[in-house]
Amino acid sequence: MDLYLIVGNPHTRRASVVRSLTGCFNRSVRDIEPLSGKATLKLYARVGSLQETKTRPQDFVTEVAAARCQAVLCCVVPNALASAPTLYPSAQDYLDHFKAQGWRVRSIAVLGQNSGGIKAPTLRQFPQSGTAPINITAGAVRKHFGWH
């Protein structure tokens, strides 16, 4: 499974970026064309952050497997959910869980300033995401992900 991850605090417009990239309202399968000219990606897109929608890492892995896709786009907030940190952990913990399942991190977009401590060669920050026009941010993230 190829993972495209969006990390950001509330009000960094995570959901708006996912909707702009995929046309997905909540969660669905979409076809994404890579800039490389390779075959179309069958992508499972999930709009709400996993912690805020109270989705545990293992439950999300099961959800994605049922979609029978080759790639996934999802959002996480940097920190664990304060009311249930062991159930809905930090962005880094979600990422570690996904990697342990054999998922390949293709690209990480951090909206705003807080990456939750994640460091990766595929990470890029978009610090103005909360104030820039959404089409500008979404276009920059699309380019970072390598999508048309």
Side-chain angles (χ1 to χ4, degrees), residues 53-91:
T53 59
K54 296 193 168 129
T55 306
R56 297 179 309 160
Q58 59 270 34
D59 295 336
F60 187 62
V61 169
T62 301
E63 179 182 319
V64 169
R68 301 175 191 245
C69 292
Q70 65 197 95
V72 62
L73 169 63
C74 64
C75 304
V76 291
V77 293
N79 303 312
L81 189 66
S83 61
T86 56
L87 292 175
Y88 315 109
S90 71

Side-chain angles (χ1 to χ4, degrees), residues 10-93:
H11 309 294
T12 55
R13 301 165 89 188
R14 297 177 314 261
S16 296
V17 169
V18 172
R19 288 183 179 120
S20 292
L21 293 174
T22 65
C24 173
F25 177 73
N26 185 8
R27 60 184 93 185
S28 66
V29 176
R30 298 291 194 223
D31 290 332
I32 302 293
E33 295 202 21
L35 286 171
S36 66
K38 291 183 180 177
T40 300
L41 285 175
K42 188 174 181 182
L43 177 94
Y44 182 73
R46 171 90 180 263
V47 174
S49 84
L50 298 179
Q51 296 102 321
E52 292 172 338
T53 59
K54 296 193 168 129
T55 306
R56 297 179 309 160
Q58 59 270 34
D59 295 336
F60 187 62
V61 169
T62 301
E63 179 182 319
V64 169
R68 301 175 191 245
C69 292
Q70 65 197 95
V72 62
L73 169 63
C74 64
C75 304
V76 291
V77 293
N79 303 312
L81 189 66
S83 61
T86 56
L87 292 175
Y88 315 109
S90 71
Q92 183 65 61
D93 291 328

Side-chain angles (χ1 to χ4, degrees), residues 116-134:
I118 295 173
K119 294 185 172 136
T122 60
L123 183 145
R124 180 170 170 212
Q125 283 194 279
F126 299 87
Q128 303 301 321
S129 66
T131 56
I134 196 62

